[in-house]
Amino acid sequence: MTEQRKNIRMPIRMHLEVSDIFKQDNVKVSNINAPIEVVDICRDGIGFVTTSMLPIGFYFNSRLEFKNSNNAINCVIQIIRQNRREDGLNHYGCTFTGMPAVFDYIFEEMEEEFRKNKAEKNAQAE
């Protein structure tokens, strides 16, 4: 399957806790306490899995802390799609809202590392 995204989707493992979600028209849902596991990331957004049901179109505040560096991003994430996996978890696709270009260097480093690791794996398979 060929990646059709503008930016490379890279596998990653992060754990987040979503407590509150909101919509732009001041609708807020509190005390959700949904543990989520981020499974992939790109410059445009994240994919995550959770046992919780979260509404499409809502936003949440997040702090993404990257293990391989001292970098962290405080951002707003919008839930844009959801599907149920065979293992019973809900898989969500989300987009970053208003991500400042100043964070591009974090994704450039991640993409470079991802390409390097992928090339090494391909060379070993040959």
Side-chain angles (χ1 to χ4, degrees):
M1 184 169 176
T2 304
E3 180 68 50
Q4 296 182 0
R5 290 178 177 355
K6 175 175 61 171
N7 295 302
I8 298 170
R9 184 189 310 196
M10 299 163 287
I12 193 167
R13 292 288 178 256
M14 289 182 181
H15 297 281
L16 300 174
E17 180 79 24
V18 176
S19 297
D20 302 320
I21 57 175
F22 56 91
K23 261 193 137 169
Q24 289 181 331
D25 54 2
N26 292 325
V27 174
K28 184 176 179 180
V29 181
S30 297
N31 301 319
I32 293 174
N33 301 322
I36 65 175
E37 182 178 353
V38 178
V39 294
D40 60 56
I41 192 167
C42 72
R43 290 178 194 232
D44 298 321
I46 62 172
F48 68 82
V49 294
T50 182
T51 56
S52 301
M53 291 293 298
L54 302 173
I56 305 299
F58 275 67
Y59 300 81
F60 61 92
N61 293 312
S62 179
R63 178 172 176 83
L64 303 176
E65 296 181 2
F66 300 93
K67 289 182 183 178
N68 296 343
S69 68
N70 294 328
N71 296 316
I73 299 174
N74 292 318
C75 56
V76 177
I77 296 173
Q78 182 184 20
I79 302 169
I80 58 172
R81 70 180 156 276
Q82 180 267 340
N83 66 319
R84 189 125 174 119
R85 297 190 334 185
E86 289 181 15
D87 63 4
L89 291 174
N90 296 300
H91 183 253
Y92 290 88
C94 303
T95 186
F96 295 123
T97 302
M99 176 69 75
V102 70
F103 293 121
D104 281 352
Y105 76 94
I106 294 172
F107 292 100
E108 288 167 3
E109 289 174 1
M110 289 175 63
E111 289 169 1
E112 183 179 323
E113 175 101 10
F114 178 73
R115 284 187 186 101
K116 179 182 169 188
N117 290 340
K118 191 173 182 179
E120 289 173 1
K121 285 180 184 177
N122 289 340
Q124 291 174 355
E126 292 177 358

